[in-house]
């Protein structure tokens, strides 16, 4: 009798464990593939280092199909958007799925918005992570410091374009065109306003509100951080603390203001994360006192799953 009871308990425990494992395995399993799109000077991966550090594997472990296409490290939103559109078409063809879930960080935000605007039939959702949706004060200052025709602009442009080419070469995408000046202009307040006039879907009507949750069948979301210096071990934090001063005290993550990041349904705009933390950089050195960014991505995948996306 005791043996039977033990066997029954073991069987029940096994069933519970199996159910928990099944639930965990399907936690991030979205209906449509997830496409992670990098920002300025971004890449898919350079050797073992991913731009979205550890995030693709974390999503895949829960059942998601994930792609990390490479677009120009530095170029205009429209050029990057056309490159991404080509990649999305390939993904749709390969997977047999009619749509994708786009998630873009930094300049990746406007980049995914371009695709969602021109081909909404291929996009189930567009999620902006610290997206430069209304421009960045940092880009404005850089363009102001380096006026047209100046030596400083020539030097900055040459160095930045060279960096973009190097990153593309290291990540195996050396043929992609790089234009750092076009990137800076796209990310400026004036450049963003021009882009937004042509591609307004999901943008808030007010300075710091929410935008439409769904436009042309595409669900829009956003989240961002509001801290600059979050971990003394992160070599990027001191620089982000300096660039954060450009926002005059407004909430920002070091490169993008919280209000500029708003798009569609705003999940949060005040995570204790900086611009690098949001993608789990540098190599996982993030704020120990905030939810891990990998978990935020997993939670969002589960959110999309719950919506049938």
């Amino acid at each position: 009798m005791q043996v039977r009871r033990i066997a029954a308990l073991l069987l029940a425990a096994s069933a519970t464990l199996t159910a928990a494992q099944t639930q965990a395995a399907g936690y991030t399993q979205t209906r449509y593939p997830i496409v992670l799109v990098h920002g300025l000077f971004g890449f898919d991966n350079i050797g073992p280092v991913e731009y979205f550090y550890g995030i693709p594997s974390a999503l895949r472990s829960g059942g998601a199909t994930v792609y990390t296409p490479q677009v120009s490290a530095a170029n205009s939103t429209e050029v990057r958007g056309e490159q991404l559109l080509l990649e999305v078409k390939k993904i749709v063809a390969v997977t047999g799925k009619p749509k994708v879930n786009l998630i873009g960080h930094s300049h990746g935000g406007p980049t995914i918005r371009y695709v969602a605007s021109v081909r909404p039939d291929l996009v189930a959702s567009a999620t902006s992570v610290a997206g430069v949706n209304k421009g960045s004060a940092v880009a404005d200052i850089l363009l102001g410091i380096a006026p047209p025709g100046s030596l400083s602009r020539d030097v900055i442009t040459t160095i930045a374009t060279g960096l973009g080419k190097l990153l593309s070469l290291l990540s195996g995408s050396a043929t992609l065109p790089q234009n750092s000046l076009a990137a800076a202009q796209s990310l400026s307040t004036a450049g963003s306003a021009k882009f937004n006039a042509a591609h307004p879907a999901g943008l808030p009507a007010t300075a710091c509100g929410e935008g439409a949750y769904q436009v042309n069948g595409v669900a829009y979301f956003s989240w961002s951080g509001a801290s600059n210096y979050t971990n003394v071990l992160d070599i990027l934090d001191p620089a982000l603390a300096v660039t954060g001063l450009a926002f005059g005290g407004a909430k920002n993550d070091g490169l993008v203001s919280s209000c500029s990041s708003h798009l569609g349904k705003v999940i949060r705009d005040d995570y204790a994360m900086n611009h690098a933390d949001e993608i789990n950089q540098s190599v996982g050195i993030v704020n120990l006192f905030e939810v891990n960014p990998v978990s935020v991505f997993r939670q969002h995948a589960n959110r999309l799953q719950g919506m049938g996306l």
Side-chain angles (χ1 to χ4, degrees):
M1 191 70 176
Q2 187 66 21
V3 173
R4 289 181 180 178
R5 181 174 296 177
I6 293 173
L9 288 173
L10 290 174
L11 183 62
S14 177
T16 300
L17 178 61
T18 301
Q21 291 175 333
T22 301
Q23 184 178 14
Y27 184 74
T28 61
Q29 190 170 353
T30 53
R31 179 180 180 184
Y32 304 110
I34 293 175
V35 180
L36 302 174
V37 183
H38 66 76
L40 180 66
F41 297 134
F43 49 89
D44 48 4
N45 66 280
I46 297 177
V49 179
E50 302 168 296
Y51 180 87
F52 292 92
Y53 190 73
I55 294 170
S57 59
L59 293 174
R60 290 179 183 125
S61 69
T65 299
V66 183
Y67 290 86
T68 57
Q70 174 75 24
V71 298
S72 290
N75 217 314
S76 71
T77 300
E78 291 82 0
V79 167
R80 285 166 50 96
E82 282 296 320
Q83 293 169 352
L84 178 59
L85 177 56
L86 181 60
E87 294 300 314
V88 168
K89 289 178 178 177
K90 291 178 182 178
I91 293 168
V92 167
V94 168
T95 63
K97 300 290 186 179
K99 299 181 179 184
V100 298
N101 290 302
L102 296 174
I103 302 179
H105 174 250
S106 191
H107 198 181
T111 303
I112 67 170
R113 286 174 49 211
Y114 177 88
V115 176
S117 176
V118 300
R119 287 299 304 272
D121 57 305
L122 296 178
V123 182
S125 69
T127 302
S128 173
V129 180
V132 192
N133 294 313
K134 290 190 175 180
S136 171
V138 176
D140 291 342
I141 290 174
L142 286 174
L143 290 173
I145 289 174
S150 68
L151 176 62
S152 55
R153 170 170 283 194
D154 290 341
V155 171
I156 291 172
T157 300
T158 300
I159 293 174
T161 298
L163 176 59
K165 289 181 179 178
L166 176 61
L167 289 169
S168 291
L169 176 63
L170 293 175
S171 62
S173 305
T175 59
L176 291 172
Q178 308 298 330
N179 188 330
S180 60
L181 181 57
Q185 290 171 334
S186 283
L187 296 171
S188 68
T189 301
S192 295
K194 182 179 179 181
F195 176 80
N196 291 344
H199 309 284
L203 282 174
T206 58
C208 202
E210 288 190 307
Y213 288 8
Q214 190 174 91
V215 182
N216 294 328
V218 180
Y220 286 89
F221 303 90
S222 61
W223 77 75
S224 63
S227 298
N228 302 154
Y229 208 118
T230 61
N231 192 315
V232 295
L233 299 179
D234 191 341
I235 60 173
L236 296 179
D237 281 29
L240 290 171
V242 172
T243 54
L245 298 174
F247 298 92
K251 285 194 307 180
N252 70 88
D253 66 0
L255 287 176
V256 181
S257 73
S258 295
C259 290
S260 179
S261 74
H262 285 200
L263 184 75
K265 179 177 177 60
V266 180
I267 295 165
R268 271 187 68 179
D269 70 353
D270 61 352
Y271 284 108
M273 301 179 186
N274 60 33
H275 205 67
D277 293 342
E278 292 151 354
I279 50 171
N280 202 33
Q281 292 287 0
S282 302
V283 291
I285 302 174
V286 296
N287 192 342
L288 298 177
F289 304 100
E290 177 58 280
V291 60
N292 189 276
V294 177
S295 296
V296 178
F297 276 84
R298 282 177 52 83
Q299 290 165 6
H300 188 55
N302 184 254
R303 182 181 293 111
L304 296 175
Q305 179 195 98
M307 296 174 64
L309 303 177

